[in-house]
Amino acid sequence: MPRWCDCKQPMSLELHSVIFAKKIEVKNVPIFSCMSCSTYEVLEPVKTHLTEYLKTIELSIKDPYQVVMFSDINEVAGLFYDLYKSNVEMDLEKFGSAIEAYKEERINLLLDVYQCAIQMNDEGWMSDTQRRLEQLSKFHFEGHPSQAG
Ligand SMILES: [Zn+2]
């Protein structure tokens, strides 16, 4: 089932650069976009993190222009980026099942990483891995695809 724009056109899933205050370019943000009216909206599961991140970075910014990869700091965006790189068609139905499989794989990998971090007694690494695992386990693509058009 596609997601519908307010203008009654189907929206497509894309990775997009969001430019904030003309100073910060955040790449690889998963969005729904409408080709006919150029509206876009950031996917619900990453929206809060993106907003918080922009607030934090805005305070600490020194460079005139900064580019960050959202896929490096947000696990859900990372999943979308991995799928995008492996040329999975950005079709909502196919994407839904592919992303669940990728998610399981990524969670298993992070659980291994977490074991390593515990063995090395590295608390920074442990909490970073924990944060990533939380982002992933909260994410269910099927729960967010569309409002009934
Ligand atoms: Zn539209």
Side-chain angles (χ1 to χ4, degrees):
M1 193 197 291
R3 187 187 185 86
W4 296 95
C5 181
D6 290 343
C7 76
K8 311 280 184 234
Q9 294 300 309
M11 298 181 95
S12 59
L13 189 57
E14 283 169 27
L15 289 172
H16 191 72
S17 290
V18 176
I19 295 167
F20 183 73
K22 294 183 183 162
K23 281 196 297 195
I24 310 157
E25 181 175 352
V26 187
K27 291 191 168 196
N28 298 333
V29 178
I31 57 152
F32 284 113
S33 78
C34 173
M35 299 257 257
S36 55
C37 72
S38 317
T39 297
Y40 76 87
E41 65 185 90
V42 175
L43 253 69
E44 203 58 48
V46 305
K47 203 185 271 175
T48 314
H49 186 198
L50 181 64
T51 314
E52 279 168 12
Y53 178 72
L54 286 173
K55 261 186 234 157
T56 335
I57 199 175
E58 198 189 10
L59 299 174
S60 64
I61 203 158
K62 290 180 190 74
D63 300 328
Y65 193 83
Q66 195 166 337
V67 180
V68 281
M69 300 290 176
F70 196 55
S71 48
D72 287 345
I73 56 168
N74 182 281
E75 283 296 321
V76 174
L79 280 184
F80 280 91
Y81 183 60
D82 281 349
L83 280 160
Y84 187 69
K85 273 191 307 191
S86 31
N87 293 316
V88 174
E89 206 181 321
M90 296 294 258
D91 170 277
L92 284 184
E93 276 172 42
K94 288 174 201 155
F95 211 77
S97 53
I99 205 159
E100 285 297 318
Y102 263 70
K103 186 179 89 173
E104 291 305 315
E105 221 171 90
R106 181 74 183 154
I107 285 177
N108 286 335
L109 180 78
L110 283 173
L111 287 172
D112 287 348
V113 169
Y114 192 62
Q115 286 305 319
C116 279
I118 290 175
Q119 273 162 26
M120 304 197 33
N121 210 11
D122 186 331
E123 285 185 18
W125 196 15
M126 275 156 69
S127 63
D128 180 65
T129 310
Q130 215 162 14
R131 188 178 51 80
R132 290 173 184 274
L133 278 164
E134 271 167 30
Q135 288 170 0
L136 282 179
S137 54
K138 276 188 211 152
F139 170 67
H140 299 285
F141 188 71
E142 294 303 327
H144 301 274
S146 70
Q147 292 141 352

